[in-house]
């Protein structure tokens, strides 16, 4: 999170476009962390302490400090430039809450998929869900200190991504790095929407 003060809460008059972005990913990949590090307003979080229901279901390997999980949504805002503001909606990662994605995705221009390469297989279904729903997305690899290093092509192969789908590496705790990931998504979605059906067919 950047500074939080009343001066930051109001949008400049120059803002012409407000865009909704969904932040999705498997359990514990860093969605809440990213929305929080990016947001220029106090982010809204719906964290609950993980309960017995989580034991044996959610893999906490590599997340010794994680005690809570998102049960409804994260919300944040970032003014990318004087004309464009992004509203970020983070989803819950636990599978039992995936039904909420449908509602949260309504009206979203694009999706940032956060991936943890230490548990890459957890992300297969996430990517599949987005492809089924036809939502444009970019992949942001949240690099943890003990993450294995995958080349972009290897990762694309493993996640079965289309050649045009952006893949970026970020640190969800870092504002600048996370904003860069969002910019990659916005650039991709803007470029795709500029292509008319005539030029793509
Ligand atoms: N080292 C490191 N730790 C991180 C990073 N991102 C998140 N964490 C930690 O990893 C854990 C998971 O982060 P969350 O942001 O809660 O993940 P989430 O995807 O929102 O999790 P759910 O809502 O439960 O699905 C937390 O304990 C974070 O402090 C990162 O980039 N590096
Ligand atoms: Mg979360």
């Amino acid at each position: 999170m950047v500074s939080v003060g009343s001066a930051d809460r109001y949008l400049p008059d120059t803002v012409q476009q407000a865009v909704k972005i969904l932040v999705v990913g498997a359990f514990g990949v860093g969605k809440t962390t990213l929305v929080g590090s990016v947001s220029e307003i106090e982010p809204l979080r719906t964290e609950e302490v993980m309960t017995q229901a989580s034991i044996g279901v959610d893999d906490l390997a590599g997340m010794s400090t994680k005690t809570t999980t998102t049960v409804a949504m994260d919300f944040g805002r970032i003014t990318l430039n004087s004309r464009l503001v992004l509203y970020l909606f983070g989803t819950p990662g636990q599978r039992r809450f995936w039904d909420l994605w449908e509602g949260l995705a309504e009206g979203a221009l694009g999706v940032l998929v956060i991936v943890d390469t230490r548990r890459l297989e957890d992300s297969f279904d996430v990517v599949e869900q987005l492809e089924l729903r036809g939502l444009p997305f970019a992949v942001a690899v949240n690099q943890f200190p003990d993450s294995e290093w995958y080349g972009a092509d290897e990762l694309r192969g493993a996640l079965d991504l289309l050649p045009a789908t952006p893949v970026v590496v970020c640190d969800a705790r870092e504002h600048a790095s996370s904003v860069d990931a969002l910019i990659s998504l916005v650039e991709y979605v803007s470029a795709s929407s500029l292509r008319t059906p005539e030029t793509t067919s």
Side-chain angles (χ1 to χ4, degrees), residues 31-32 47 66 69-70 74 91:
K31 301 174 292 294
T32 301
E47 295 290 292
K66 187 166 168 71
T69 188
T70 304
D74 302 302
T91 57

Side-chain angles (χ1 to χ4, degrees), residues 69-85:
T69 188
T70 304
V71 294
M73 62 181 278
D74 302 302
F75 177 74
R77 188 191 81 195
I78 175 77
T79 309
L80 271 196
N81 60 41
S82 59
R83 283 168 292 118
L84 179 64
V85 63

